[in-house]
Amino acid sequence: MKIRPLHDRVLIKRVEEERKTAFGIVLPDSAAEKPNRGEVVAAGPGKSNDKGEVRPMGVKTGDQVLFNQYAGTKVKVDGEELLMMGEDDLLAVIEG
């Protein structure tokens, strides 16, 4: 299934982080925080302003991003859990 977000929405796949402490203790799922880092799977064209001009998105497919801890709406696409959120919920693009 292909999904194309509308306006300034982005579809994010969470990047799972290491579940071990520095001492090698494995954390169970219930004790680990959900990661606030992910990869942009799809992005909308951008948001229209009052003049009808579309402001382009600041992210593109494949970008690694940081987002707010509780941002987005969970959606299932082809059995995979993804997050749909607005561009405003993104904090930064990870470069390098």
Side-chain angles (χ1 to χ4, degrees):
M1 174 182 353
K2 255 190 143 174
I3 291 187
R4 181 178 50 92
L6 300 176
H7 309 294
D8 66 336
R9 301 273 186 239
V10 292
L11 192 60
I12 304 286
K13 177 181 177 182
R14 282 188 196 263
V15 175
E16 294 299 322
E17 295 178 3
E18 186 67 35
R19 297 190 183 260
K20 285 186 182 179
T21 65
F23 299 106
I25 299 171
V26 178
L27 296 173
D29 287 342
S30 59
E33 289 185 18
K34 288 187 177 182
N36 60 346
R37 181 178 176 170
E39 180 180 342
V40 176
V41 176
K47 196 168 191 174
S48 298
N49 62 17
D50 296 336
K51 298 177 186 176
E53 301 165 341
V54 175
R55 182 183 58 84
M57 296 286 282
V59 296
K60 61 187 179 307
T61 302
D63 281 350
Q64 296 287 318
V65 294
L66 295 176
F67 51 87
N68 289 323
Q69 183 75 22
Y70 301 104
T73 302
K74 293 178 186 177
V75 294
K76 268 201 169 177
V77 179
D78 296 332
E80 185 175 26
E81 191 173 284
L82 304 172
L83 289 172
M84 180 72 74
M85 64 182 72
E87 186 180 25
D88 292 344
D89 291 325
L90 300 178
L91 303 174
V93 175
I94 301 170
E95 297 178 346

